Amino acid sequence: MTLLLVDAANLYFRAFYGVPESVTSPDGQPINAVRGFLDMTATLITRRRPTRYVACLDFDWRPAFRVALIPSYKAHRRAPDGREAIPDALVPQIPVLLQVLGALGLATGGADGFEADDVIATLAARDDGPCEIVSGDRDLIALANERVRVLYVGRGVAKLEDLGPDEVRARYGVPAERYPDFAALRGDPSDGLPGVAGVGEKTAAALVNRFGAVEDIVAAARAGRDGFPAGSATKVLAAAEYLAVAPAVVRGRIDAPVPDLADEIPAAPVDAAALVELADRYGIDSSVNRVLNAIARTRR
């Protein structure tokens, strides 16, 4: 009973930029993000054969508790009005996508004041069966363990990387559970995390493997522990205030108030009439049928 947790915003942004805006509905509205998302969903269901599915949503794309810790968190993604910068052609497609998923019977879920990362982390922690996480957000790599796989789609769904604990260590040189400490040291411009000036991936990995969590790294730098390069100690201590909060910004919360969800993938659409109407209105029949066919194949 594999649970597939999908970072919905990550995928619909990816779909929007990956499918031309010339893909439109019969009345000329852009529908590229919906088409792309559904096609990726069909591919994922075909390849991974999950029995349960949740599209996890950003009810708050830039949670106040993260901004309070690091004000630069996602600041570069703000529109002039302070809201998330979303292309005008994408905005009306999001409710359409949610309607289609609802008619298909594919669950969606979120939590007020939390972003999709927290929803995913909470649902993964709440479950006790096999779980696969689909996202191009590297922060979620920290969730990989013997039960949870991360399907990293940074290069697209067709080239997804299936990451468990062994693969994470091979790629980043650190245990998956220490990825937030590694990321805090190295930094992540995509999330507005500055990192420690002068500390790159190799140094970050070496410090994590030698000393452990960020607080232990800072303590070792202060104590002048053997094996701590003097140059790195100076850099770490200069960033001690930032390092005191950065891992908590990277790490997904597992206490988001996500309601219980009916996440089993149904054998047939829960609202076939609505699905037909949506498919006809927006000209997405082929993409909807791909998802339906993918679901049918998992039942064989």
Side-chain angles (χ1 to χ4, degrees):
M1 296 278 293
T2 299
L3 170 61
L4 193 69
L5 298 174
V6 175
D7 184 346
N10 192 280
L11 260 65
Y12 62 62
F13 269 99
R14 195 171 295 277
F16 178 79
Y17 289 111
V19 179
E21 282 188 55
S22 57
V23 175
T24 60
S25 63
D27 64 358
Q29 299 178 56
I31 205 69
N32 53 326
V34 176
R35 284 274 299 271
F37 189 101
L38 293 175
D39 290 345
M40 286 190 281
T41 299
T43 298
L44 288 165
I45 292 174
T46 298
R47 292 177 61 178
R48 310 308 300 189
R49 301 182 70 85
T51 54
R52 300 158 62 207
Y53 173 104
V54 180
C56 301
L57 307 174
D58 285 328
F59 279 11
D60 189 338
W61 71 282
R62 191 171 178 255
F65 66 87
R66 287 196 169 96
V67 176
L69 294 173
I70 297 182
S72 64
Y73 181 66
K74 292 186 178 179
H76 59 296
R77 300 191 206 174
R78 287 182 299 177
D81 62 4
R83 290 184 290 185
E84 183 178 15
I86 300 177
D88 291 342
L90 173 57
V91 173
Q93 296 189 58
I94 298 171
V96 174
L97 174 62
L98 296 180
Q99 290 176 58
V100 174
L101 293 177
L104 284 164
L106 295 177
T108 61
D112 289 338
F114 292 85
E115 56 189 303
D117 287 21
D118 306 304
V119 176
I120 290 169
T122 296
L123 292 177
R126 186 186 292 177
D127 209 65
D128 58 7
C131 176
E132 295 187 333
I133 294 166
V134 181
S135 181
D137 186 340
R138 291 183 294 184
D139 292 351
L140 291 165
I141 288 169
L143 300 178
N145 59 38
E146 296 305 323
R147 184 178 59 82
V148 178
R149 310 286 299 186
V150 176
L151 309 181
Y152 180 69
V153 294
R155 295 188 299 155
V157 167
K159 298 179 180 179
L160 68 78
E161 299 174 66
D162 184 349
L163 303 176
D166 293 342
E167 291 81 7
V168 173
R169 182 179 278 282
R171 177 168 176 173
Y172 295 101
V174 298
E177 64 270 18
R178 291 269 74 91
Y179 184 85
D181 303 284
F182 167 78
L185 289 162
R186 180 204 59 195
D188 189 346
S190 68
D191 278 342
L193 298 178
V196 176
V199 172
E201 287 202 2
K202 289 184 178 179
T203 300
L207 292 174
V208 168
N209 285 316
R210 175 70 175 82
F211 301 105
V214 156
E215 55 266 30
D216 298 319
I217 293 170
V218 174
R222 285 202 176 105
R225 288 268 302 276
D226 289 343
F228 208 122
S232 294
T234 300
K235 294 168 185 174
V236 165
L237 292 176
E241 185 176 348
Y242 155 78
L243 289 173
V245 297
V249 172
V250 176
R251 191 175 288 111
R253 293 268 295 269
I254 61 171
D255 61 345
V258 186
D260 291 335
L261 301 168
D263 58 22
E264 185 172 353
I265 299 176
V270 298
D271 192 338
L275 187 61
V276 169
E277 194 275 330
L278 288 163
D280 288 346
R281 188 196 319 173
Y282 295 105
I284 53 174
D285 308 67
S286 59
S287 294
V288 167
N289 285 329
R290 286 189 191 99
V291 176
L292 293 173
N293 290 335
I295 292 171
R297 283 194 291 270
T298 67
R299 300 278 171 169
R300 293 172 188 165

